[in-house]
Amino acid sequence: MEVLVYGAGALGSLVGGMLARAHDVTLVGRDAHMRRIREDGLRIDGEVNAHVRPRAVTDGARRSAELALVTTKTYDTDSAAADLATGEYDAVCSLQNGLTEERLVAAVDPPVLAGTASYGARFLEPGHVRCTGVGEVVVGTLAGGPSALASRIGRAFDAAGVDATTAEDMPRRRYEKLAVNAGINGPSALARVTNGEVRTGPAVDV
């Protein structure tokens, strides 16, 4: 499958790098990171180990692929959507935090799928990311129910060794993801600690 990953930071690079083990992948990210990947490939270590050579670009406009994965920060969603609207894709799928899919639907023509990713990822340096925890990728339709398109994408993840689930209950899963983010991200940012420290530190009872 041809896959474009728009927003190749920590998570986007990890997911895109794992997909590159079996698919034709293009990463869209920041210059220093993309330049190093073009020169030396993408190194992944930790819970997953790989050294792959996906295409790496800084301009996500006017491109094409069977699948566009959006992995930007939420505040970059509109910019990503504007670039994706200039390209040609069979499907667009968000693996972002937050309820961003409706903003993608408003901007692009292809079907937009909802997704979640519970893999842990850390950006170490340009060209190098670490998998800090193996999770799964879940994809499905915004309205819920069965989807041949979501099943096809799930099989593509599986073919690359990415644990994937095609879910018919994505409306519930989207709000579960939002609840987890609301409960963890705010307190960890305010306390300036990692997610894990929120669960094990002195504020755990609160």
Side-chain angles (χ1 to χ4, degrees):
M1 178 177 281
E2 293 178 311
V3 182
L4 180 135
V5 180
Y6 195 109
L11 179 65
S13 295
L14 174 61
V15 173
M18 290 191 293
L19 287 172
R21 296 180 296 191
H23 301 291
D24 182 358
V25 173
T26 298
L27 303 178
V28 181
R30 299 190 185 280
D31 182 58
H33 187 39
M34 297 299 99
R35 185 170 63 250
R36 180 60 62 84
I37 293 172
R38 287 194 297 270
E39 293 171 351
D40 302 322
L42 172 64
R43 289 186 297 135
I44 302 171
D45 64 18
E47 298 296 317
V48 172
N49 288 281
H51 187 189
V52 293
R53 293 185 175 273
R55 280 187 298 277
V57 301
T58 57
D59 184 359
R62 296 173 297 279
R63 299 194 177 273
S64 63
E66 294 169 85
L67 171 65
L69 290 175
V70 183
T71 54
T72 65
K73 299 294 187 184
T74 300
Y75 50 71
D76 285 328
T77 300
D78 294 333
S79 176
D83 276 355
L84 292 173
T86 68
E88 296 183 3
Y89 306 95
D90 293 343
V92 174
C93 179
S94 170
L95 295 181
Q96 300 164 279
N97 289 332
L99 301 180
T100 61
E101 289 88 353
E102 285 80 4
R103 289 156 66 183
L104 295 171
V105 169
V108 303
D109 291 331
V112 174
L113 298 176
T116 65
S118 56
Y119 278 84
R122 180 178 301 158
F123 182 88
L124 298 181
E125 60 183 346
H128 188 189
V129 297
R130 175 162 296 157
C131 176
T132 59
V134 173
E136 69 171 346
V137 171
V138 181
V139 296
T141 65
L142 283 171
S147 166
L149 179 59
S151 295
R152 177 186 168 209
I153 292 169
R155 290 193 297 271
F157 277 107
D158 286 334
V162 180
D163 291 335
T165 297
T166 303
E168 298 184 11
D169 60 344
M170 283 308 297
R172 177 179 64 82
R173 289 175 182 262
R174 291 178 72 208
Y175 281 94
E176 285 180 344
K177 179 176 70 171
L178 179 63
V180 170
N181 289 335
I184 294 291
N185 293 354
S188 65
L190 289 170
R192 298 185 180 183
V193 298
T194 66
N195 289 359
E197 289 173 308
V198 172
R199 298 179 59 234
T200 59
V204 64
D205 291 338
V206 177

